[in-house]
Amino acid sequence: MADRIECDVAIIGGGPAGQAAALALSGHGLSIVVIDEQPRPGGQILRQPPARFAVRGWLEERSYRPLKQLLGRFQALDDIHWLGSHSVIGLQRGSVMAMGPEGVTTVTARHILIAAGCHDLAVPLPGWTLPGVYAAGGIQAFIKGQQLLVGNRILVAGTHPLQLIIAAQIVAAGGSVAAVLFAQPRSAMVAALARHPLAALRRVPDLLATAAALRALARAGTPIHFGTSLEALIGTDRVSAAQTSAGTINCDAVGLCYGFVPQSALPRMAGAQMRPSGPAGGWACGHDDFMRTSVPGVSAAGETTGVAGAAAAAAGGALAGIGIALDLGLISLEAAEHAARTPRRDLAQHRAFAALLDAVADPRAYFPAPSADTIICRCEDVEQATIAAELPVCQSANAVKLATRCGMGACQGRNCEPSLLRMMAKAGNVPETGFTPRFPARPVSIADLLPPQ
Amino acid sequence: MSADRITQDVERGEPITIVIDGQQVACFAGETIATAMLAAGLDAFRTDQRGKPRGLLCNMGSCYECLVTDIATGRRIRACLAPAADGMEVSTRG
Amino acid sequence: MERADVAIIGGGLVGCATAWRLARKGASVVLIEAGDINAGASGQNAGSLHFQIERRFLENGDALAEQGAQIVALSRHAVIDWRTIERELETDLHVAMHGGLMVAETAEQVALLEAKAARESREGLTVRTLDGDEARAMAPYLSSGILAANFSADEGHADPRAITPALAEAARGEGAQVRTGTHVRAITRENGRFVIRGNGLALSADQLLVAAGAWSADVCALINIHMPIYPVALLMNATERAPPIIPHLVQHVGRRLSLKQTHAGNLLIGGGWPSRLAQTLHGGFDLSAKAQMIPESLTGNLLAARDVVPGVTRLNLIRSWTGVTAITSDQLPIVGPVPRMPGLWVAAGGSAFTLGLTFARLMADAMTGDEADELSLLSPARFEHLNGFMG
Ligand SMILES: Cc1cc2nc3c(=O)[nH]c(=O)nc-3n(C[C@H](O)[C@H](O)[C@H](O)COP(=O)(O)OP(=O)(O)OC[C@H]3O[C@@H](n4cnc5c(N)ncnc54)[C@H](O)[C@@H]3O)c2cc1C
Ligand SMILES: Cc1cc2nc3c(=O)[nH]c(=O)nc-3n(C[C@H](O)[C@H](O)[C@H](O)COP(=O)(O)OP(=O)(O)OC[C@H]3O[C@@H](n4cnc5c(N)ncnc54)[C@H](O)[C@@H]3O)c2cc1C
Ligand code: FES
């Protein structure tokens, strides 16, 4: 084991939630460590280019402004210890194990904040394991962070409106989008909007960002189809076309965009109470009105507590910071309640908008149908038919895992758990939990866990 | 298939070379191994049990589809997170 | 009320194998499992088929070592049971019996190996003692720090994921009823029969077998019988898949280590390192909650693995888990009829992956009136004094 760090507060995740928490806690004389597996802070929404790059006009769209300001303030802090390029692999009360390029560091802390964000929902369909098929957020992160376009004709498909923004970013970067496909009809999206008019009104800027994206795509002549679903991805060594309900579309890369699920491995490992997340599936970490989880000394904020967007993440992070200051005896309950007012109000508003977005983006009726030989568990290559055969005799996700190896691989079941739970639900069995979370949250070299020889 | 670097308004780190399965790949300091590979047209990060090439999925360290071997250390690393370093040798063959 | 000749509580290897054997003999059998088949220790264990005397019997003095040696008689049966089971079930269970090495790193441990081998040969088990170089010639993956090893040609491993479901399937095929998702909550004696209740179940049976693993003491308590069976939580570790390098089972005579490579390529590293059992609000153990990993166990286990097979350090650990199994007060399994309560049978404790098929075969014989003398060593009768005031 390479190292040991003792601190007051360990924050896992340098996205908006982690940044806001650090800002709330800064200046109290605490030692604060912020751990992130990305080298630089920003989180998924602001995946910064490497320090070696200079990118003029990086993410200049108006919607990113407040987040860039937050990031700027965070990066200006001089009382936090940034532990970038470190993945948290284990978490128990009071301590965190972080795996970095030089080995594993144990960080002991009086309080731990989990602000690990979310990841794209992995959506199995025939051909989805072909090279060139990406999570849409991954394509976006290549543009934002690495200044790379993954293809010359990128197809973006799913149910989440974020795909409009991603498509627009591809176009703005000089790329070409084969089409944007929404599996749901436009009427379903409009109807969902109409059911939440107030929430929609309060978030005009977000809707405007979408509108701007629509205009940019129209200018580029990018086709946007509603009610058009993916059926299969085609290719031999890489994807070359998509078979859709409206015919075949040629493309050399595909981004799947059916929604996001919380990074839940760490709170589950710590034993925190979880609840089902939004319509895309997954598990969100429960918390009280200061973002404290059911495990003493462990708080959670941002998408880990439910996918609600970057602004909600920032509000939740600030609130968590206040709660931690309260728990550590730095401020009185009265002061904490007072300080909590604004972030609580913001969080509630953003979550209301998120509920609207959930309704608009709800993928449940529109998932592509895997065929019998479609791989569901990518790590272990477990096919749909193999799992289906076990469903009549297995009552729990763990039992299916044991019987089929689905979820037994390197990703710890992050990719396949939602697919498996959907299959089980379809077969009439809605399990209360998914796989038992296990150490390590990320595979770790055995050498790194041991003292040097 | 071709992934392209965005060049307008972007200055990268100095040009470096890494070696993927014995093949020299030119890239830039700061890029991840995944970026270097994709930009060189190498989109298979491993071969699955059916013998099929597999690409990466999430580009955020979460899906583990991009595990490659760093020859010097024998470590299995995520190509989407690990920065390319000049002269580094990487294998996609386990 | 449903009726059966035999009710079996517990859908692990022991329960499923006994159900299959009994059903084949024509008994009507109902097997009752609280969760899914294979959800207990049988699905979480290391899958070692170890026939050499276990380290845990060797480290606590001569008397225990002597007792441990007697198990060897059963191990000889187990070798045959495992060599034939795939043919009998007509299923690939990934049984690999390519031999097992128990290694020593110090002079003291070498002496322990020698004493062990002598005991084993008295009991009729052949092991070869190899020096370090001979061991490395046979197993090039071993470290230069290995001074000696005992080699048993029959040892190996099998797939815990496969065997128990296959046995349950075979039991069903022979007409046994397998009820999962049924937690037994109450057992009563009515007119000399056992009445078993839980989750919509009401079953009357002539004989009752408790094969509930670590839960066996609790199940026996339902019928007012003491059984000195205790739960222990053990750590297991799996690496990512690797090309085939280790055909053997590898164990250590002086340190907690078992290591093998599965048919899929993963290395499984265990050896009896403890995890911390969860507790109930009242202070007892809570077997329904997840046990907690003890970081020192993880490092201890991996260090032992590194010292024996240095190549492991290059691999990624992908999963550490805890399984809960049963240990008895004298470490020997408890298998057989309970004198205090005619018709009640227990089978729990010990290394019942290796020995479970044998327990099941012998018990099915005994329960249907045949001889099964081999089990006398393991009889619950040795704890009859605990039940003097029970029943
Ligand atoms: C790929 C992707 C792209 C997205 N793009 C957009 C977008 O364009 N617009 C939008 O509104 N929303 C987007 N989202 C949603 C976005 O995640 C949130 O709006 C916002 O970033 C959430 O902030 P957060 O602080 O909760 O989490 P994040 O910003 O995701 O920050 C969490 C951080 O934790 C780190 N982390 C996670 N697990 C570990 C671990 N085990 N060890 C160490 N570090 C860890 C991650 O590297 C990450 O930097 C995207 C999500 C994803 C997954
Ligand atoms: C980590 C670990 C590693 C091990 N490694 C090895 C090894 O390498 N080799 C070896 O030989 N042995 C090994 N063992 C021991 C071996 O796994 C066990 O001895 C064996 O699996 C026991 O099988 P069983 O059928 O008796 O119990 P289990 O498999 O535990 O089955 C008992 C079943 O009873 C059910 N049950 C409990 N209470 C009730 C109730 N009230 N109503 C209904 N059902 C109930 C449970 O749900 C459970 O499924 C290991 C054990 C562990 C935990
Ligand atoms: S692409 Fe998913 S972990 Fe690298």
Side-chain angles (χ1 to χ4, degrees), chain A residues 119 121-122 261 280-282 413-423:
Chain A
H119 57 89
L121 175 68
V261 290
R414 272 187 287 279
N415 289 325
C416 62
E417 189 189 58
S419 319
L420 171 61
L421 294 181
R422 279 203 309 278
M423 284 179 72

Side-chain angles (χ1 to χ4, degrees), chain A residues 1-312:
Chain A
M1 249 166 257
D3 240 333
R4 207 173 176 86
I5 299 177
E6 281 174 30
C7 67
D8 295 309
V9 183
I11 298 177
I12 304 164
Q19 295 160 28
L23 280 159
L25 285 163
S26 163
H28 285 294
L30 297 172
S31 60
I32 303 169
V33 177
V34 182
I35 311 165
D36 199 303
E37 56 193 348
Q38 293 293 338
R40 303 185 71 190
Q44 297 309 337
I45 190 141
L46 297 185
R47 276 280 285 276
Q48 297 203 66
R52 312 292 297 266
F53 281 31
V55 181
R56 274 178 302 280
W58 182 69
L59 296 189
E60 278 202 321
E61 296 91 329
R62 170 187 289 200
S63 55
Y64 290 114
R65 257 179 232 165
L67 295 168
K68 286 171 77 175
Q69 280 165 10
L70 177 67
L71 177 60
R73 287 198 290 138
F74 172 78
Q75 287 181 316
L77 292 178
D78 55 12
D79 60 348
I80 67 140
H81 176 170
W82 170 252
L83 196 60
S85 305
H86 276 72
S87 299
V88 173
I89 57 170
L91 193 160
Q92 294 192 327
R93 271 173 75 172
S95 94
V96 161
M97 274 166 108
M99 162 185 76
E102 261 86 58
V104 171
T105 301
T106 300
V107 181
T108 57
R110 292 159 69 200
H111 207 108
I112 297 168
L113 171 65
I114 307 173
C118 62
H119 57 89
D120 290 83
L121 175 68
V123 179
L125 74 152
W128 76 306
T129 53
L130 285 167
V133 180
Y134 301 92
I139 293 181
Q140 188 193 31
F142 271 121
I143 297 174
K144 287 175 179 173
Q146 292 279 308
Q147 301 291 313
L148 183 83
L149 282 166
V150 294
N152 288 334
R153 246 180 93 74
I154 305 176
L155 175 69
V156 191
T159 57
H160 202 286
L162 188 65
Q163 61 182 350
L164 287 172
I165 301 201
I166 296 174
Q169 285 169 335
I170 295 170
V171 168
S176 152
V177 174
V180 181
L181 307 183
F182 281 92
Q184 67 273 50
R186 190 201 293 262
S187 57
M189 301 176 77
V190 173
L193 270 177
R195 277 197 297 277
H196 303 262
L198 269 181
L201 269 180
R202 282 211 192 88
R203 290 292 289 270
V204 168
D206 296 274
L207 297 177
L208 285 181
T210 315
L214 279 169
R215 280 197 302 277
L217 292 172
R219 271 198 305 277
T222 305
I224 302 174
H225 299 297
F226 293 89
T228 304
S229 47
L230 276 186
E231 289 168 356
L233 301 169
I234 301 161
T236 42
D237 280 350
R238 57 184 50 89
V239 69
S240 57
Q243 187 183 310
T244 78
S245 56
T248 302
I249 300 178
N250 292 329
C251 57
D252 62 359
V254 177
L256 301 174
C257 198
Y258 290 83
F260 299 88
V261 290
Q263 293 269 17
S264 61
L266 296 175
R268 286 162 78 182
M269 192 185 292
Q273 249 162 40
M274 307 295 291
R275 57 182 164 73
S277 188
W283 306 95
C285 183
H287 57 80
D288 68 7
D289 58 1
F290 279 111
M291 308 305 285
R292 294 173 292 211
T293 72
S294 62
V295 181
V298 179
S299 298
E303 314 276 54
T304 303
T305 62
V307 177

